[in-house]
Amino acid sequence: MALPQVKLEATEARLASLSLPESGAWLREAREAALARVQAMGLPHARDEYWKYTRPDTLVQADVPEAALFDAEGEVSFGDIDRVKLYFVDGVFDPEASDDPAVGGVEIERLADVASADIHWAKDVYGVLETRGQDPVERPLAALNTAVATDGVVIRATGKAEKPVNLIYLHRNTTSDAVLHHVIKVEDGAELTILENGPAAARFNKVMEVEVADTAAFHHVRTQGRDHERRAVTHTFARLGRESTFKSFTLTANGVLTRNECVIELTGNDAVAHVAGAALGDGDFLHDDTVFVTHDAENCESRQVFKKVLRNGATGVFQGKILVKDGAQKTDGYQISQSLLLDDDSVFLAKPELEIYADDVACSHGSTSGAIDEEGLFYLRSRGVPRDLATDLMVIAFVAEAIEEIEDEEIAADVLGRLEGWLERRRD
Amino acid sequence: MLEIKNLHVKLEEEDKQILKGVDLTVETGKVHAIMGPNGSGKSTLSYVLSGRDGYEVTEGAASLDGEDLLDLEPEERAAAGLFLAFQYPVEIPGVGNMTFLRTAVNAQRKARGEEEISAGDFLKLIREKAKSLKIDADMLKRPVNVGFSGGEKKRNEILQMALLEPKMCILDETDSGLDVDAMKLVAEGVNALRDAGRGFLVITHYQRLLDHIKPDVVHIMADGRIVKTGGPELALEVETNGYADILAEVA
């Protein structure tokens, strides 16, 4: 089908300013195929159904809107966690700043290094899960990423990873346009935790493809920091084998525009996928969680838990879908998206969807928007707790259900501490 | 000393006058009780004093130890030493009782320019206070008032009072929803806090609470005013004859 003229023009204009990075044969093929996908589907447009609530123009246009640098005042996410730190500055890996990537149970390589190899396992994942994730809903910015990503890590867990791998994204240039693509494979029975934090760039496009093999476990915890002006579109594509586990949690504060897409395919029986997020928006802020979980095997469990706290005209978006294919019997699917609106100017837009073709499943979903409980607020204040602190206590209580999705207690405590720190700084 | 002068209050939304000139002084160290029929304005008085939204003071004044209460935010009133034990303590899902209590104690300390209490010291303090009110570790761990029985909620109110050590305590129908044993426990908690430096205003329908918390002064409130003031014997009179006689007498 031919693209509408406006879309064709916008796509061509964007692609004209890009070129495919030099790569070895297998990666070049993957990039060229991705470029062809982008050309066929066109980049997102405001009139696309899937972009109804989030304007894609600043993510698509060739010019990067400037984003002032933000001083995080020495704040460090996951500071108390024993982890391997890998730094990217405006989307470029910084080997000097990074830790030695030799960790027990894990092989870590740089995308550029594996690209030159004639054959590499990453070939079976890079762009592959992204391509699978294009159906039934197109995700052109992910295909664009596959085509033009300039850096990234390729990680394979062969056993229980000795420690988490922390990808840290620093922002030093006010007009940087970072495109990172990570490929992760967790082999049979292996376990890996990936931590991510930092604003990354003025504009950030990141794809992470995760193959979770039979009985493997993958944990992902991410904090998207307090930069006010950054923009980000991220995609996580995961394919789960039998009795495997995938758990992902994201804490977001500030950022003028964030779209986090998570596309999960449960392809082996008895697999478990949890994806959760807590977002705090203030003022010029749009946060979009778009989740698509496909059950294509029996007796799998999926959970989506998303909480948003919005004030001063901030906008929250949730598009969440559970697709249960024919034959995916005994599916247990759950989805909840809730917003706490701290004033009348803030907006929460939710589109929860269930599509079920199996006849023996339990799926539930709910979505709510509400103001803060004034009775509770008065009760706290009557005990001497100032209004802003009382509000924050209730905000923490509100998002707690999402944070509880983090399995590792130490990491969960770190995330909670980060949230409390952000709220405290906001009060001061 | 709590001083209320000619206090007129209406509901903001309904333009309905609830308090029509309340005059009341509760001296430090004394226990005053307010009794009165339903709808006389007793609970409104407690809410207005603690700063709840939805009420408009159209006339009059209220002060605690000379400080004008009505201009203050609820948290400032609390820091000034006012405490309201709620008739219906509010459930706050997700906020741990212990976190809540420590936050409240530290917020008041901070407002008064005092140092915050350390986690260790607070734990010691709360263990000691909770024990006498038969509040177990589980109740401290659970979210504020969530899943608490009526008696547990009221004991939790008294625990807060004991921790915050206010100068003036208002008890709004603290006996409602309590069985005899629970009421005794709550009354013992209150009595343990009776002190020369602390005043109490006990709002109740029934005399029975006053068997346990013996008042120095009893006021009868009706139609938004204090219509009669006397000693403890006034409460007994209400218990025996109801409000009708007193109201007829002052009409």
Side-chain angles (χ1 to χ4, degrees):
Chain A
M1 197 175 67
L3 292 178
Q5 193 62 24
V6 43
K7 209 164 177 167
L8 185 68
E9 280 170 18
T11 302
E12 281 177 353
R14 175 72 176 118
L15 293 178
S17 66
L18 292 168
S19 57
L20 300 191
E22 269 195 38
S23 314
W26 71 266
L27 185 56
R28 192 174 59 245
E29 273 176 41
R31 290 185 187 281
E32 283 167 357
L35 184 63
R37 285 197 294 282
V38 177
Q39 283 163 333
M41 62 182 117
L43 290 171
H45 186 272
R47 259 174 273 166
D48 292 353
E49 175 66 21
Y50 217 46
W51 290 85
K52 194 172 164 182
Y53 304 127
T54 301
R55 285 189 66 95
D57 43 352
T58 54
L59 297 171
V60 170
Q61 70 193 37
D63 296 334
V64 179
E66 199 170 316
L69 301 183
F70 180 81
D71 180 6
E73 297 157 13
E75 176 189 32
V76 182
S77 272
F78 311 119
D80 294 331
I81 312 289
D82 184 20
R83 69 219 200 272
V84 182
K85 301 186 290 292
L86 302 177
Y87 284 92
F88 294 82
V89 180
D90 291 304
V92 181
F93 180 62
D94 182 349
E96 300 291 308
S98 299
D99 292 338
D100 177 357
V103 184
V106 191
E107 294 163 11
I108 303 174
E109 295 170 280
R110 195 172 171 184
L111 180 62
D113 295 335
V114 308
S116 54
D118 289 337
I119 189 85
H120 195 276
W121 64 263
K123 177 178 180 291
D124 298 330
V125 182
Y126 189 95
V128 174
L129 301 189
E130 174 258 298
T131 304
R132 293 178 68 90
Q134 298 291 352
D135 182 40
V137 186
E138 290 173 348
R139 305 169 202 282
L141 290 170
L144 181 72
N145 179 300
T146 301
V148 306
T150 44
D151 216 331
V153 286
V154 174
I155 301 178
R156 187 162 76 117
T158 52
K160 189 176 184 330
E162 200 184 309
K163 42 178 120 168
V165 177
N166 188 185
L167 307 175
I168 302 167
Y169 307 121
L170 304 179
H171 176 203
R172 298 263 167 80
N173 179 324
T174 56
T175 55
S176 54
D177 193 16
V179 186
L180 291 180
H181 196 117
H182 307 309
V183 175
I184 293 163
K185 188 168 186 185
V186 191
E187 301 281 12
D188 285 17
E191 283 176 41
L192 175 66
T193 297
I194 295 283
L195 307 172
E196 290 184 290
N197 61 281
R203 183 168 71 182
F204 188 32
N205 179 336
K206 190 208 70 180
V207 165
M208 184 161 75
E209 292 176 287
V210 191
E211 179 89 64
V212 190
D214 293 349
T215 68
F218 175 76
H219 294 271
H220 174 227
V221 179
R222 162 169 66 170
T223 61
Q224 293 174 310
R226 291 180 296 141
D227 268 55
H228 293 283
E229 297 180 11
R230 60 157 186 87
R231 289 175 160 75
V233 55
T234 77
H235 290 81
T236 303
F237 295 96
R239 179 163 60 180
L240 277 69
R242 175 180 53 82
E243 290 170 46
S244 67
T245 302
F246 170 96
K247 290 190 179 177
S248 174
F249 170 86
T250 302
L251 173 69
T252 309
N254 303 345
V256 68
L257 176 61
T258 309
R259 165 120 157 179
N260 292 330
E261 293 199 28
C262 190
V263 184
I264 301 169
E265 232 186 320
L266 296 138
T267 60
N269 293 346
D270 306 299
V272 174
H274 291 188
V275 49
L280 285 82
D282 184 352
D284 194 4
F285 169 95
L286 187 144
H287 184 94
D288 176 338
D289 284 298
T290 290
V291 181
F292 200 112
V293 178
T294 303
H295 284 261
D296 197 11
E298 288 183 14
N299 203 34
C300 292
E301 176 198 314
S302 72
R303 276 171 73 80
Q304 302 172 34
V305 179
F306 287 90
K307 303 268 186 166
K308 291 182 173 64
V309 181
L310 305 165
R311 65 181 114 199
N312 296 323
T315 302
V317 176
F318 175 77
Q319 304 188 100
K321 177 149 181 172
I322 305 173
L323 170 63
V324 181
K325 288 197 172 175
D326 187 18
Q329 301 296 15
K330 307 283 180 197
T331 286
D332 178 3
Y334 174 75
Q335 179 195 86
I336 182 92
S337 64
Q338 295 181 308
S339 73
L340 177 60
L341 303 173
L342 295 180
D343 53 52
D344 294 340
D345 301 326
S346 300
V347 181
F348 179 56
L349 302 157
K351 193 171 79 173
E353 287 181 284
L354 296 180
E355 193 177 333
I356 302 171
Y357 296 99
D359 56 12
D360 184 14
V361 303
C363 282
S364 60
H365 69 100
S367 184
T368 63
S369 282
I372 204 154
D373 174 17
E374 288 292 336
E375 291 282 317
L377 203 57
F378 174 65
Y379 188 68
L380 293 171
R381 295 177 73 196
S382 78
R383 298 311 183 234
V385 182
R387 174 185 267 279
D388 50 359
L389 179 53
T391 303
D392 286 348
L393 276 180
M394 296 180 75
V395 163
I396 291 169
F398 174 74
V399 302
E401 189 191 351
I403 294 178
E404 280 162 16
E405 293 290 321
I406 302 171
E407 203 167 282
D408 185 293
E409 283 180 15
E410 214 184 330
I411 296 174
D414 185 277
V415 168
L416 183 61
R418 185 77 33 244
L419 171 64
E420 286 170 347
W422 288 346
L423 291 170
E424 194 177 329
R425 281 174 195 193
R426 202 188 164 283
R427 284 199 301 273
D428 291 340
Chain B
M1 186 166 72
L2 176 70
E3 279 185 287
I4 303 167
K5 283 183 189 153
N6 194 30
L7 191 65
H8 287 67
V9 172
K10 65 173 188 137
L11 288 181
E12 256 172 18
E13 287 193 354
E14 290 175 42
D15 200 27
K16 186 180 169 192
Q17 203 73 31
I18 307 288
L19 300 185
K20 302 172 181 173
V22 174
D23 285 292
L24 178 66
T25 299
V26 182
E27 307 83 1
T28 306
K30 298 288 183 193
V31 175
H32 285 226
I34 296 187
M35 302 181 74
N38 290 326
S40 57
K42 304 186 300 293
S43 285
T44 296
L45 178 64
S46 72
Y47 284 138
V48 168
L49 291 174
S50 56
R52 189 188 177 110
D53 279 346
Y55 301 96
E56 190 189 334
V57 175
T58 51
E59 211 184 321
S63 64
L64 181 61
D65 294 340
E67 188 172 4
D68 182 2
L69 285 175
L70 301 178
D71 273 350
L72 301 179
E73 295 293 331
E75 55 268 33
E76 293 169 330
R77 299 179 195 206
L82 188 75
F83 182 94
L84 169 65
F86 281 54
Q87 182 180 1
Y88 304 108
V90 182
E91 297 185 5
I92 310 180
V95 177
N97 205 17
M98 196 77 154
T99 305
F100 159 61
L101 295 168
R102 200 174 77 218
T103 306
V105 168
N106 278 333
Q108 293 207 10
R109 286 185 172 223
K110 201 173 161 193
R112 296 193 206 109
E114 298 164 13
E115 263 199 48
E116 294 196 358
I117 189 166
S118 74
D121 286 348
F122 182 74
L123 204 63
K124 255 184 256 164
L125 179 69
I126 198 161
R127 278 203 187 124
E128 171 205 321
K129 306 274 187 194
K131 200 177 165 198
S132 57
L133 286 159
K134 296 195 174 136
I135 289 175
D136 59 19
D138 184 51
M139 263 177 75
L140 293 173
K141 249 187 271 168
R142 269 149 51 188
V144 179
N145 293 325
V146 176
F148 286 25
S149 70
E152 286 173 334
K153 283 181 180 170
K154 297 297 168 77
R155 266 145 58 202
N156 203 32
E157 294 293 288
I158 306 306
L159 174 64
Q160 292 164 46
M161 197 189 281
L163 287 168
L164 296 169
E165 300 181 330
K167 288 192 275 188
M168 177 59 58
C169 307
I170 304 171
L171 278 66
D172 187 8
E173 301 199 21
T174 291
D175 50 339
S176 73
L178 295 187
D179 60 34
V180 180
D181 293 336
M183 188 163 66
K184 265 191 179 166
L185 198 59
V186 165
E188 278 166 20
V190 172
N191 287 331
L193 291 168
R194 286 183 76 156
D195 182 285
R198 182 170 296 130
F200 286 86
L201 184 59
V202 180
I203 295 172
T204 181
H205 273 298
Y206 304 106
Q207 198 270 335
R208 58 174 195 172
L209 179 66
L210 304 179
D211 284 341
H212 301 287
I213 305 172
K214 298 234 177 341
D216 299 300
V217 182
V218 174
H219 306 274
I220 306 296
M221 193 165 181
D223 193 28
R225 284 187 200 91
I226 303 290
V227 294
K228 192 168 183 181
T229 296
E233 72 287 350
L234 191 53
L236 291 168
E237 192 186 328
V238 168
E239 185 73 5
T240 319
N241 303 329
Y243 292 111
D245 286 2
I246 295 169
L247 298 185
E249 172 192 327
V250 298

